[in-house]
Amino acid sequence: MQAELIDIRNHMANYPPFNEMPEELLDRVVGTIEVEYFRAGTSILEFGKANHWLYYIRSGAVEIYRRSGELYNRIGEGEIFGQFGLLMHQKVRFPAKALEDTLIYRFPEEIFRLLFENDDNFADFVEVEDNSRLRSALSRREKSNELMTSRVTRLITREPVSAPCTVRLQEAARIMTDQGVSALLLMEENKGHTDLKGIITDRDLRTRALAEALPSETPIRDIMSEDLITIRDNAFIFEAMLTMLHNNVHHLPVMDKHEVRGVIALSDIVKYESQSSLYLVSNIYHQQDVRGLQKISRDVRDSFVRMVNEDANSHMIGSAMAGIGRSFTQRLLELGEEKLGPPPVPYCFMALGSMARDEQLVVTDQDNAMILDDSFNPKEHDEYFLALAKFVSDGLAECGYTYCTGDIMATNQKWRQPLHVWKGYFTDWIENPKAEALLNSNIFFDLDGIYGKTDFAEDLKTLVAEKASNSQRFLTMLARNALNRTPPIGFFRSFVLEEDGQQRKSFNLKRRGTAPLSDLIRVHALACGSRAQNSFERLRAIGQTKLLLDDDLGNLRDALEFIAIVRIRHQAIAIEEGREPDNNVRPEDLSPFERSHLKDAFQVVSNAQKFLRFRYNAGVGRNVP
């Protein structure tokens, strides 16, 4: 070895993780090193740019920044940087700049991967700063996103503007004009204290007052919005965004118990939210026909990719995509009613599956149903509802939400029934859990009323929560059914791959990862009598009952998040490269970081399934009383 290389080798051998590295590996590292010199103030790594090198400081000092420009760390001789970019698809996550004149050794990504795969000490050193491997990997993502870490109170810039709900229309408009606000809170005295009763917005004044030519003396109570959607003052900004998406509202009162702290508007969140999902939803409701909806549906994937590149977590992405899907459905229902006329009886349009769970991604089909009022008469009314269901289903297909291959759609007469029939379905599935009933339970027990008489869907949620929690036989059968899909991890922690077919040498991150997790979480949630639909919210409900230990809940939450985010990134990369996204991943396409932590996450799923089998006496072949 040349004298210069020996000097480099001896220097690196004094600093971790190279000080414990086998000599042959260190020699290979030294043989690939390139030397660079950076003057003070020079940028070394820029956020979002490609990076294929690990950097080692021989002399000098480097400042590492967060994406926001905030100083993250100062490092000096013998320290490394650039590893997080290599671990996360070769893009710089932490920009770096020379604090003083700095001499750097860098070695290529191929050597980095070699060390990561063959030296556990090196892998542990570069992937985490503590020993909580999976949890640390996820927390780093969240800390880089202001939407995830900032409270909604940060958006409140003034005291709330309010008026008694007894004021007249002209007076309400004058107050809003004088105060320069787009929303006015309407209050009512109640036993010595003032309660929030409603809200009026600029849009309400246009659509409910001016468009209808209402007199200026009209009581504001006649047109105000009641049953308000609010948010607590300790909520995060991303929760406010999801609330707006889910409920299609542009103003959110922020509450401290019963006291109003302020009002935040869509425009406030857009300052933080660069993914444009809120703008997209707003644009959906402005479209006047299916052609317009189909045209803007092309923006859905762009919004998805932007959220991924902004390091949003899976709950935020899944909820935003579900909110977008709901909005397309709701607008199609409005257009359908304009075309066909008002419905002959009240109804509820129900979303099922991933949209109902707020876990929807870009590779998805449509699962939906209709709950009709019990006054429904098939001969008199079904022609209308079939036409409406077909209009919506065809429109969703035009917008990229493919038809359900299992025909779980409101166009199927079986899934377009009065409320009492639905209650009969759900009761029978729980009391007689045969194969078809269990299949239907997995689909229909994730439900959300998204349009019309949504109380109908709430009635079904209540029925399921009460009956399922009291039926050990049903829970046992559902648990046994949840064990049919196992994670793709072998005895020696190697990936189990498809052996034939189009997807050979890969594994399906939905079918073998997120789906088994959502299945087992659903069983525990039903056992607890929870009405929650989202898997993370179900875990929170489970935690309140102590059915699972806190550590087990944390492990499930982390596993679900990590598997979901790898699946999400896999789809985003495909979109960016002009390929059709899917759920099938080949191990060689994953970074070392992802391969390592996926194995951890799949092991969590495997352990959770073992507990499920034990907890509900769901061993294969056992007799169920």
Side-chain angles (χ1 to χ4, degrees):
M1 183 177 286
Q2 298 176 2
E4 181 182 359
L5 295 181
I6 293 175
D7 176 66
I8 293 174
R9 182 180 184 276
N10 291 340
H11 189 276
M12 295 179 65
N14 290 319
Y15 296 92
F18 306 102
N19 58 339
E20 296 182 8
M21 186 171 290
E23 290 185 3
E24 64 272 20
L25 278 181
L26 187 54
D27 287 343
R28 292 189 65 174
V29 172
V30 172
T32 64
I33 275 177
E34 294 185 9
V35 181
E36 288 194 313
Y37 179 79
F38 294 89
R39 290 193 176 277
T42 303
S43 176
I44 303 173
L45 294 175
E46 296 181 13
F47 177 77
K49 294 294 183 64
N51 176 45
H52 301 283
W53 302 86
L54 183 70
Y55 295 80
Y56 173 93
I57 302 174
R58 173 63 189 256
S59 63
V62 172
E63 287 185 331
I64 309 296
Y65 294 88
R66 299 188 187 278
R67 58 183 299 159
S68 63
E70 176 187 359
L71 180 65
Y72 172 66
N73 201 6
R74 289 192 177 97
I75 57 177
E77 182 178 0
E79 296 188 86
I80 61 173
F81 62 98
Q83 66 268 35
F84 294 127
L86 293 175
L87 289 168
M88 296 299 288
H89 292 284
Q90 300 81 46
K91 286 189 178 181
V92 174
R93 296 297 175 189
F94 292 84
K97 183 171 69 175
L99 178 62
E100 56 189 60
D101 292 351
T102 302
L103 182 66
I104 284 178
Y105 301 148
R106 69 176 193 174
F107 52 90
E109 177 186 348
E110 293 76 16
I111 290 296
F112 175 86
R113 291 182 182 277
L114 175 73
L115 297 179
F116 194 96
E117 298 279 0
N118 293 280
D119 187 341
D120 290 342
N121 180 62
F122 179 87
D124 289 342
F125 185 90
V126 300
E127 69 180 343
V128 293
E129 296 177 356
D130 58 31
N131 293 322
S132 53
R133 299 168 58 184
L134 191 55
R135 196 152 301 169
S136 178
L138 297 170
S139 65
R140 284 201 301 269
R141 290 181 56 86
E142 294 183 357
K143 288 177 181 177
S144 67
N145 192 305
E146 285 188 277
L147 275 167
M148 303 298 303
T149 58
S150 299
R151 305 285 182 180
V152 291
T153 48
R154 184 170 179 174
L155 302 180
I156 299 175
T157 57
R158 61 177 297 167
E159 292 292 320
V161 178
S162 63
C165 59
T166 54
V167 300
R168 303 294 176 173
L169 177 59
Q170 185 176 23
E171 176 65 7
R174 185 194 63 76
I175 294 172
M176 293 172 67
T177 301
D178 291 347
Q179 294 294 323
V181 294
S182 59
L184 178 67
L185 300 176
L186 300 164
M187 317 298 290
E188 183 177 70
E189 289 294 328
N190 181 25
K191 297 180 180 179
H193 56 85
T194 305
D195 291 338
L196 175 63
K197 292 297 292 182
I199 191 171
I200 192 80
T201 68
D202 284 343
R203 182 181 180 185
D204 296 331
L205 291 177
R206 293 195 307 273
T207 60
R208 301 178 186 176
L210 292 176
E212 300 296 328
L214 295 181
S216 61
E217 292 301 305
T218 300
I220 201 67
R221 184 190 292 272
D222 290 355
I223 64 169
M224 73 180 183
S225 298
E226 299 184 78
D227 300 322
L228 298 186
I229 305 297
T230 63
I231 196 164
R232 64 192 188 284
D233 63 345
N234 63 345
F236 293 104
I237 293 175
F238 93 95
E239 294 177 286
M241 187 196 87
L242 299 183
T243 300
M244 287 184 170
L245 281 169
H246 189 92
N247 297 282
N248 187 33
V249 295
H250 290 189
H251 296 84
L252 275 180
V254 179
M255 308 296 293
D256 178 5
K257 296 182 180 177
H258 298 292
E259 181 181 350
V260 184
R261 292 281 303 275
V263 179
I264 58 175
L266 180 150
S267 56
D268 298 320
I269 296 181
V270 167
K271 298 174 186 177
Y272 287 81
E273 201 267 321
S274 64
Q275 298 93 356
S276 301
S277 51
L278 283 169
Y279 275 140
L280 176 56
V281 166
S282 179
N283 201 12
I284 287 170
Y285 289 98
H286 292 150
Q287 301 308 307
Q288 299 304 310
D289 53 33
V290 175
R291 181 176 297 180
L293 290 172
Q294 191 274 335
K295 186 176 180 180
I296 66 171
S297 68
R298 304 165 191 167
D299 297 333
V300 174
R301 290 189 174 187
D302 292 338
S303 182
F304 173 78
V305 170
R306 280 192 291 269
M307 280 188 279
V308 176
N309 289 335
E310 289 289 326
D311 285 338
N313 68 16
S314 72
H315 182 29
M316 182 175 170
I317 294 171
S319 296
M321 296 304 292
I324 291 169
R326 282 190 195 91
S327 299
F328 276 111
T329 307
Q330 290 161 350
R331 185 56 184 147
L332 284 165
L333 285 160
E334 291 174 348
L335 292 173
E337 289 186 7
E338 289 176 13
K339 177 182 177 181
L340 300 170
V345 297
Y347 74 100
C348 169
F349 198 88
M350 191 164 58
L352 307 167
S354 60
M355 184 185 289
R357 293 197 310 273
D358 278 338
E359 296 169 18
Q360 194 162 53
L361 302 184
V362 289
V363 181
T364 186
D365 59 2
Q366 48 180 290
D367 294 307
N368 51 62
M370 272 187 185
I371 310 171
L372 308 171
D373 188 82
D374 281 338
S375 62
F376 170 74
N377 183 317
K379 291 182 179 180
E380 296 179 12
H381 306 144
D382 198 45
E383 182 180 355
Y384 175 93
F385 288 111
L386 174 58
L388 180 62
K390 189 174 188 309
F391 179 86
V392 172
S393 184
D394 291 345
L396 286 172
E398 289 288 328
C399 295
Y401 299 87
T402 58
Y403 298 111
C404 175
T405 56
D407 204 19
I408 309 296
M409 297 180 292
T411 50
N412 183 338
Q413 186 177 20
K414 185 175 182 180
W415 311 129
R416 191 176 66 252
Q417 293 291 332
L419 179 59
H420 74 272
V421 174
W422 279 105
K423 288 182 177 180
Y425 284 166
F426 279 55
T427 298
D428 183 59
W429 294 338
I430 294 171
E431 294 179 354
N432 300 289
K434 299 176 182 177
E436 183 179 358
L438 293 169
L439 176 62
N440 289 331
S441 299
N442 278 334
I443 297 170
F444 287 91
F445 284 17
D446 298 339
L447 64 97
D448 184 33
I450 63 173
Y451 187 86
K453 192 76 171 176
T454 55
D455 287 350
F456 291 167
E458 296 305 311
D459 288 347
L460 294 182
K461 290 180 186 178
T462 299
L463 183 150
V464 170
E466 292 176 352
K467 285 188 173 292
S469 61
N470 290 313
S471 176
Q472 184 61 42
R473 180 170 181 263
F474 171 73
L475 293 172
T476 296
M477 297 296 287
L478 195 65
R480 181 182 297 176
N481 199 60
L483 299 172
N484 289 334
R485 295 189 281 199
T486 57
I489 192 78
F491 187 75
F492 295 104
R493 283 174 55 88
S494 59
F495 291 121
V496 177
L497 307 179
E498 299 291 336
E499 296 183 354
D500 48 38
Q502 188 176 358
Q503 305 301 336
R504 64 187 303 270
K505 302 301 181 184
S506 71
F507 53 86
N508 189 295
L509 276 174
K510 177 182 178 181
R511 188 170 61 248
R512 304 291 298 278
T514 55
L517 265 172
S518 62
D519 286 348
L520 69 89
I521 290 169
R522 183 188 301 110
V523 176
H524 290 315
L526 291 173
C528 295
S530 171
R531 289 165 44 92
Q533 304 295 302
N534 176 263
S535 294
F536 291 104
E537 293 174 4
R538 282 172 167 167
L539 285 172
R540 190 177 301 118
I542 295 166
Q544 293 171 352
T545 67
K546 303 302 180 183
L547 187 151
L548 296 177
L549 298 175
D550 289 345
D551 285 347
D552 293 331
L553 283 168
N555 289 338
L556 284 172
R557 190 177 298 111
D558 294 337
L560 178 60
E561 173 64 24
F562 195 81
I563 296 171
I565 211 66
V566 173
R567 178 185 169 207
I568 285 167
R569 290 193 61 84
H570 169 72
Q571 294 183 3
I573 291 169
I575 293 170
E576 289 181 311
E577 294 178 352
R579 295 182 286 108
E580 192 62 26
D582 59 26
N583 295 305
N584 299 292
V585 175
R586 295 181 303 175
E588 59 266 31
D589 292 335
L590 298 169
S591 69
F593 175 85
E594 289 170 328
R595 284 199 295 272
S596 174
H597 288 300
L598 270 179
K599 291 177 181 179
D600 291 337
F602 289 145
Q603 190 60 55
V604 170
V605 181
S606 181
N607 293 340
Q609 288 187 330
K610 292 176 183 175
F611 176 77
L612 192 77
R613 182 180 291 109
F614 166 76
R615 173 66 176 74
Y616 299 99
N617 192 30
V620 176
R622 290 184 181 273
N623 293 321
V624 180

